[in-house]
Structure formats: structure tokens, C-alpha cells
């Protein structure tokens, strides 16, 4: 019944299976109750920061609760979209909370017990909590590459000490024997397996996720360096991470171990197929001179800081829902490592404020910033004032606005909720989830979107649509037409508004139907008229 739970049991355990079954069954009922309540509670707003309080105080084993959420997500067919939408949000929250706990435990360990690979996996897991990523699986893939290196090494030097030892048990002291390991690594990684730096799509976030680096065999300097360093250490060669500006490197000691002379090291560019560089060549790599401090070794925490910093910068590059989520995740990670960093706390407060979410949490963050750095009172005061205004406006909201098609002011509205449409000008496919009898946007938006150039300008119905590229848009009626080949719209918010895809149109969920009570029948009649056999 629940094969994914087998991993929580051992053959040697003495288990009361009736009690386990009861616990799993009750956890399932509890999960269903909570998921069902989310749409009613949070339809008109982002799930607030205290919205998950029910889950944090669960009276059942969390792995049973998670398993039920996975069952909901894996339901077959095109039904249960709203349940799947909120089950996904809850699972996202649960897993991220668990990963943050693991990250904090990792950071509290002695430095020598902080594996660079494990740190990279934790970042990967936090940014992709719904993916099946685990250290054991990633380590197994790295071990497989290490075994391939041993095979190459055996053909070059059958008596090499790396062949006799288990992973990481010894460090090879002789530089020439270390060189043989690195040569074999370069042969396997870059010649046999075709790993390479991703120069063509450098700013793709997948380059930073270690499980994607292993799948796609490409990455950026820091992710490829973590892989390279891990394999080298498993074969007895101690490489160290170097936080070089603009291009992360590794260093390999050629002199006395622990030397502080930067010229006693050869520097390795894992992004550049393992090329070995001198100090001068490192400067050529980035095009300018740097001081000696940039050639120094860094800790695992500093490596993670740079990895998270890269993701932060990617999140800032665009203004899309996906980039905002990346920005939120990377800020969470950064502040887990450096909870009192005022700059990143302020960025987090501004981000939540900009997105219009979690105003109470924004106030908590601003209070923390003020206590850490009173000189920020100007920026803090501005955000506090506007956040309080947001909270007051929310209190004054009277409830959902209900739009009846029978109202005289709505007589020009031709299309209805749930219809699959096509944009005449831009060609994108979309589904309608809201409408207004005329354009309700401000003068600046109307001017920027050049709405007045349309034949009917802003004085025509406008529709809120979910687009297949993941965006939400506001389209004029004259720019939309029925889609001759309706198909599912792969939008992350589809379940927020719709409960089912029939194959021709979407069915509004209960909360959306309350707001547009007369649309469902019109949608069905329209679909019958347009898509019935023999109709054009």
C-alpha cells in the first residue's frame, strides 16, 4: 500500500503493524483535512508565514504526513488540481524546514567533518525540495566516477597507492604520484565523460545544483570544483578551495604542507578541464592583478556562502515568479548561515514587501534590523509605515467581490472563466481565471502597455489569464480568441483557481466559483457550441 515507507523500517525491527497502519491512516486523514482547508483560508492571499502552524504541531509522524501529500500529488488524471496545488506548497514547506535544520547541524560540526559535497547537496535540496535528491545517491555517482579514475590509474601505474586504499583513508605525500591521480581524473572527467564548463548558458541556475551537474555534465567553476576536489580527496590528493574573484579555483601544494607562500601552489581550473595554472596565469584568467589574500584557502562555510551568493545574483537578474522563488530560497540559506547580516535582512524585507506577502514577518525583520544597526532607521521607518498601511487595508477588505454576468455593466464580457484561449497578436495559449468589464489598471500601466492604440482602448473587458510560459497577464478582449486545439496550460498556479481539466476547459474550484457564480454554465455552453462534432 505504501512502498515508499519501507525505508523507515529494518528487518530486525519488532513492529506492531496494526498500530503502524492506524498511525499512517490517521496521518492521511489529517493531511487531507489540512490540504482541504488551505483553499478556503488562503485563496485570496499568499499562504502567510503562520499559515503552516497546524503542520508544525502535527500529532502524527511527519514521514506519514509527507507520504499522504505525495499520494495526493501523484493522483492520476486531471482532477484534484487544487488539492495538488496546496499539497505541493505544504510539502515544499515541510521539506525546506527539515533541510534548514540539517544545514544548521552541518554548520555546527567541526570544520574537518564538513564535507564540501554534503554542503552542496544541502543547497541543492533546499532550492529543489520536491526533487528526489539525497547525499547517498550523489555520493554513489561520485564514487562511480572515482572507480573509473582508478581503472585509468591502474593502466598507468598498477602499484599506485590510491588503488590499494579505501576512499580517503590515506593522503599520498609524493607530488609525482599526486600528479598521476590528477592526470587520470582529467582523462576520465573531461575526455571520457565529457564534463565541461557551461560557457553557453553560464547563468542557468541548474549549473549550481550538484545533482544537475552530474546529470548534465556541465556547471560553473564552483560546482565543478566541488566535484573535482571530492574525487581527488577520495584518491588521496588533498586539494583546497580558493575563493578567487570571478572564477573559483582549487590549489594543489607543491612545497611544504601548509605553506603560506602562494608560489608554492599550483592552481587548478575545474571549469577549464582541470588546467593547472601559475599565479600569473590565474591573473590572466580574470584579466587583472589581485592581492595574495585571494589565493588563500577558504572554509566549507565560505564555499557555501559563495554558492548561495551565486544563486542570489541569479534571482536578482529577472523579475519572474521563478526568479523570486530562487531569491527567497537563497536568502533563507544565506541568513541560516549569517542570521545577523543587515544587508541581506533588508533585502529579504524589501522582497516580501514588494511581493505583498507576509507583512507581519516584514515587521519582525525590520525590528531585528533596527536592533542590529540603528543607522538604518530611515529605510526601516519607510518600510514599517507602508507595511502597517498594507495590514490596515487588508483588515478593511469586506470579502470576495462577486461578479454576476447578469449585471448590466457586464453585458460586453464575451468570454468566461476556464476557457482555453489564444492571444491573437502574441500567439500564446492561456486560460481565463478572472475578468473586468473594463481595464482596471492604473494610468501608468495603460500608458506603458500602449492600451490606447487598441481600437477599443481601455474601455472594453480585460481578462486575467494564466499563460503556458508560467506568467500571469492581463489581456484585452479584442486580443483573445477561442483556442481551436485546447490543451492543458502548464502553469504553477493552475490549481489555485481550478479543480479539474476536462480535456476542453478548466472547472473553477469552489473559491473561484463563489466569485464568478454564473460563469460555469456559460463556459460549458460555449465549449458545447465550439467543440461539438461538426461545429467550426
Amino acid at each position: 500500500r505504501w512502498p515508499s515507507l519501507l525505508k523507515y523500517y529494518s528487518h530486525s525491527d519488532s513492529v506492531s503493524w496494526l498500530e503502524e497502519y492506524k498511525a499512517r491512516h490517521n496521518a492521511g486523514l489529517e493531511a487531507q483535512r489540512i490540504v482541504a482547508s488551505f483553499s478556503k483560508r488562503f485563496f485570496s492571499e499568499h499562504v502567510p508565514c503562520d499559515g503552516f502552524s497546524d503542520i508544525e504541531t502535527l500529532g502524527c509522524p511527519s514521514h506519514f504526513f509527507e507520504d499522504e501529500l505525495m499520494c495526493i500529488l501523484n493522483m492520476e488524471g486531471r482532477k484534484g488540481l487544487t488539492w495538488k496545488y496546496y499539497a505541493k506548497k505544504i510539502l515544499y514547506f515541510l521539506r525546506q524546514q527539515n533541510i534548514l535544520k540539517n544545514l544548521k547541524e552541518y554548520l555546527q560540526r567541526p570544520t574537518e567533518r564538513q564535507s564540501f559535497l554534503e554542503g552542496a547537496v544541502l543547497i541543492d535540496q533546499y532550492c529543489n525540495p520536491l526533487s528526489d535528491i539525497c547525499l547517498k545517491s550523489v555520493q554513489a555517482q561520485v564514487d562511480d566516477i572515482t572507480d573509473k579514475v582508478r581503472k585509468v590509474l591502474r593502466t598507468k601505474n598498477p602499484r599506485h597507492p590510491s588503488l590499494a586504499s579505501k576512499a580517503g583513508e590515506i593522503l599520498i605525500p609524493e607530488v609525482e604520484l599526486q600528479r598521476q591521480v590528477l592526470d587520470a581524473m582529467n582523462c576520465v572527467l573531461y575526455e571520457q565523460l565529457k564534463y565541461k564548463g557551461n560557457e553557453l548558458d553560464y547563468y542557468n541556475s541548474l549549473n549550481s545544483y550538484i545533482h544537475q551537474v552530474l546529470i548534465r555534465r556541465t556547471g560553473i567553476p564552483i560546482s565543478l570544483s566541488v566535484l573535482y576536489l571530492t574525487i581527488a580527496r577520495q584518491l588521496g590528493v588533498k586539494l583546497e578551495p580558493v575563493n578567487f574573484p570571478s572564477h573559483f579555483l582549487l590549489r594543489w601544494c607543491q612545497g611544504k604542507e601548509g605553506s603560506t607562500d602562494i608560489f608554492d601552489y599550483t592552481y587548478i581550473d575545474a571549469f577549464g578541464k582541470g588546467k593547472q595554472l601559475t599565479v600569473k596565469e590565474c591573473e590572466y584568467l580574470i584579466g587583472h592583478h589581485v592581492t595574495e589574500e585571494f589565493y588563500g584557502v577558504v572554509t566549507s562555510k565560505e564555499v557555501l556562502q559563495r554558492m548561495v551568493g551565486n544563486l542570489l545574483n541569479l534571482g536578482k537578474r529577472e523579475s519572474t515568479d521563478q526568479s523570486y522563488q530562487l531569491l527567497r530560497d537563497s536568502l533563507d540559506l544565506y541568513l541560516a548561515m549569517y542570521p545577523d547580516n543587515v544587508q541581506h535582512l533588508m533585502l529579504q524585507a524589501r522582497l516580501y514587501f514588494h511581493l505583498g506577502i507576509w507583512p507581519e514577518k516584514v515587521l519582525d525583520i525590520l525590528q531585528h534590523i533596527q536592533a542590529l544597526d540603528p543607522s538604518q532607521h530611515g529605510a526601516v521607518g519607510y518600510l514599517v509605515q507602508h507595511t502597517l498601511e498594507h495590514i490596515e487595508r487588508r483588515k478593511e477588505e469586506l470579502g470576495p467581490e462577486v461578479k454576476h454576468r447578469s449585471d448590466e455593466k457586464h453585458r460586453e464580457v464575451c468570454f468566461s472563466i476556464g476557457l482555453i484561449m489564444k492571444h491573437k497578436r502574441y500567439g500564446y495559449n492561456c486560460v481565463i481565471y478572472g475578468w473586468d468589464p473594463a481595464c482596471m489598471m492604473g494610468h501608468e500601466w495603460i500608458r506603458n502597455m500602449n492600451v490606447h492604440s487598441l481600437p477599443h482602448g481601455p474601455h472594453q473587458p480585460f481578462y486575467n489569464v494564466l499563460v503556458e510560459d508560467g506568467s500571469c497577464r492581463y489581456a484585452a478582449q479584442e486580443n483573445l480568441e477561442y483556442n481551436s486545439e485546447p490543451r492543458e496550460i502548464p502553469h504553477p498556479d493552475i490549481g489555485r483557481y481550478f479543480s479539474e481539466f476536462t480535456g476542453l476547459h478548466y472547472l473553477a474550484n469552489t473559491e473561484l466559483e463563489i466569485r464568478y457564480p454564473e460563469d460555469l454554465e456559460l463556459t460549458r455552453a460555449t465549449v458545447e457550441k465550439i467543440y461539438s462534432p461538426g461545429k467550426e
Side-chain angles (χ1 to χ4, degrees):
R1 178 87 181 261
W2 297 302
S4 60
L5 294 175
L6 280 173
K7 62 187 176 187
Y8 295 103
Y9 300 97
S10 165
H11 288 294
S12 59
D13 288 345
S14 177
V15 178
S16 169
W17 292 109
L18 177 60
E19 292 306 313
E20 289 296 291
Y21 182 87
K22 285 179 181 176
R24 170 61 182 82
H25 180 72
N26 290 333
L29 295 176
E30 181 70 359
Q32 291 174 28
R33 181 190 69 78
I34 291 174
V35 170
S37 74
F38 263 55
S39 180
K40 187 173 183 180
R41 290 159 64 196
F42 306 126
F43 177 83
S44 58
E45 63 169 330
H46 190 279
V47 179
C49 49
D50 59 356
F52 296 104
S53 55
D54 292 0
I55 300 155
E56 292 178 298
T57 55
L58 279 177
C60 59
S62 61
H63 63 281
F64 284 167
F65 189 86
E66 261 198 44
D67 193 59
E68 181 64 28
L69 295 176
M70 287 303 300
C71 287
I72 293 170
L73 284 174
N74 293 329
M75 282 193 301
E76 291 185 13
R78 300 157 166 176
K79 296 184 178 182
L81 299 181
T82 299
W83 273 47
K84 289 176 182 177
Y85 175 77
Y86 287 105
K88 189 174 181 178
K89 282 196 173 299
I90 295 167
L91 191 60
Y92 205 97
F93 169 81
L94 273 176
R95 289 192 174 173
Q96 284 197 326
Q97 291 300 105
N98 195 43
I99 295 159
L100 268 190
K101 188 169 70 178
N102 293 340
L103 176 62
K104 288 172 182 175
E105 184 273 325
Y106 168 90
L107 294 169
Q108 287 169 358
R109 290 185 215 156
T111 308
E112 63 274 9
R113 290 186 53 231
Q114 292 178 346
S115 147
F116 294 101
L117 187 67
E118 183 180 355
V121 168
L122 286 166
I123 290 173
D124 192 347
Q125 288 174 325
Y126 193 81
C127 295
N128 303 284
L130 301 182
S131 299
D132 188 17
I133 305 161
C134 69
L135 178 60
K136 186 177 179 181
S137 169
V138 171
Q139 184 65 62
Q141 293 176 72
V142 174
D143 290 345
D144 185 53
I145 298 172
T146 307
D147 287 341
K148 286 181 169 65
V149 175
R150 283 198 178 97
K151 286 181 183 176
V152 171
L153 201 53
R154 189 173 287 111
T155 64
K156 305 288 183 184
N157 183 355
R159 301 178 66 182
H160 196 284
S162 290
L163 303 176
S165 64
K166 290 186 179 178
E169 277 190 359
I170 64 160
L171 283 177
I172 301 165
E174 295 87 353
V175 170
E176 183 50 40
L177 290 174
Q178 293 179 16
R179 188 183 305 281
Q180 291 174 12
V181 170
L182 298 181
D183 288 345
M185 281 177 56
N186 291 344
C187 174
V188 170
L189 280 171
Y190 304 112
E191 294 176 27
Q192 292 183 11
L193 300 178
K194 306 296 182 188
Y195 275 79
K196 62 180 179 179
N198 196 345
E199 295 178 348
L200 296 177
D201 194 14
Y202 190 88
Y203 296 103
N204 188 329
S205 60
L206 298 182
N207 294 325
S208 294
Y209 303 139
I210 195 68
H211 87 283
Q212 288 289 350
V213 171
L214 289 164
I215 292 169
R216 298 160 73 238
R217 300 187 182 184
T218 189
I220 52 176
I222 194 166
S223 56
L224 289 169
S225 291
V226 167
L227 176 61
Y228 198 98
L229 174 150
T230 303
I231 296 168
R233 289 194 172 190
Q234 288 187 180
L235 293 166
V237 179
K238 184 180 179 183
L239 301 182
E240 297 173 304
V242 176
N243 217 355
F244 205 65
S246 305
H247 198 106
F248 200 87
L249 296 171
L250 300 170
R251 73 178 193 182
W252 170 33
C253 186
Q254 306 286 289
K256 185 180 177 183
E257 186 178 351
S259 170
T260 56
D261 186 346
I262 63 171
F263 294 98
D264 279 345
Y265 293 87
T266 292
Y267 299 87
I268 295 174
D269 179 12
F271 185 82
K273 298 189 175 181
K275 187 177 180 182
Q276 295 172 11
L277 308 169
T278 64
V279 169
K280 187 56 71 178
E281 286 170 330
C282 290
E283 293 181 352
Y284 289 148
L285 188 66
I286 61 171
H288 60 85
H289 172 72
V290 295
T291 55
E292 288 194 9
E293 63 184 295
F294 290 105
Y295 292 91
V297 67
V298 287
T299 64
S300 52
K301 185 177 180 180
E302 289 168 315
V303 172
L304 297 196
Q305 178 187 347
R306 179 146 171 180
M307 294 183 90
V308 171
N310 288 337
L311 291 170
L312 259 172
N313 291 331
L314 292 178
K316 291 177 186 176
R317 285 173 67 87
E318 299 175 28
S319 297
T320 64
D321 288 346
Q322 192 174 5
S323 63
Y324 286 140
Q325 185 62 57
L326 180 58
L327 193 52
R328 287 171 59 187
D329 291 343
S330 47
L331 276 170
D332 287 345
L333 288 166
Y334 197 97
L335 290 168
M337 294 187 282
Y338 303 97
D340 294 335
N341 185 288
V342 170
Q343 178 188 352
H344 288 84
L345 284 167
M346 184 62 82
L347 179 57
Q348 188 177 57
R350 289 184 188 279
L351 176 64
Y352 292 160
F353 178 78
H354 171 74
L355 295 175
I357 62 173
W358 297 359
E360 291 81 7
K361 185 165 184 178
V362 171
L363 292 178
D364 288 342
I365 296 168
L366 293 172
Q367 187 176 11
H368 186 42
I369 292 170
Q370 189 65 39
L372 291 169
D373 184 2
S375 70
Q376 297 286 333
H377 66 274
V380 167
Y382 173 85
L383 283 174
V384 166
Q385 179 188 341
H386 286 274
T387 302
L388 289 172
E389 289 173 2
H390 176 193
I391 292 171
E392 286 304 310
R393 282 196 303 273
R394 198 172 63 180
K395 288 177 182 175
E396 292 168 7
E397 290 174 0
L398 300 174
E401 180 188 1
V402 178
K403 294 180 179 179
H404 294 277
R405 303 191 72 88
S406 52
D407 285 0
E408 177 63 22
K409 62 183 178 180
H410 298 152
R411 60 188 171 86
E412 299 295 331
V413 179
C414 295
F415 307 132
S416 53
I417 301 298
L419 287 175
I420 310 294
M421 310 297 289
K422 195 175 192 74
H423 197 280
K424 293 178 182 177
R425 184 176 178 186
Y426 299 121
Y428 60 71
N429 299 307
C430 59
V431 57
I432 296 171
Y433 71 96
W435 50 257
D436 297 309
C439 183
M440 302 300 288
M441 299 300 255
H443 294 298
E444 187 177 350
W445 186 90
I446 289 172
R447 186 176 65 253
N448 289 341
M449 300 304 290
N450 205 21
V451 172
H452 286 292
S453 68
L454 295 171
H456 295 93
H459 308 296
Q460 61 176 310
F462 270 69
Y463 297 84
N464 303 102
V465 294
L466 300 177
V467 184
E468 59 191 340
D469 65 1
S471 63
C472 304
R473 304 193 191 182
Y474 196 49
Q477 181 164 280
E478 66 185 78
N479 280 338
L480 293 176
E481 62 184 357
Y482 297 120
N483 197 312
S484 60
E485 297 180 355
R487 56 177 180 264
E488 284 188 88
I489 303 298
H491 193 286
D493 283 345
I494 204 81
R496 180 176 178 181
Y497 304 102
F498 302 102
S499 60
E500 180 182 343
F501 180 63
T502 67
L504 295 173
H505 68 97
Y506 280 94
L507 293 178
N509 62 21
T510 304
E511 297 306 313
L512 189 62
E513 198 175 345
I514 287 170
R515 289 154 175 79
Y516 298 91
E518 297 166 8
D519 273 43
L520 179 58
E521 287 307 314
L522 181 60
T523 297
R524 283 174 172 158
T526 302
V527 168
E528 176 70 22
K529 180 180 176 183
I530 296 172
Y531 302 118
S532 291
K535 300 283 180 73
E536 292 186 6

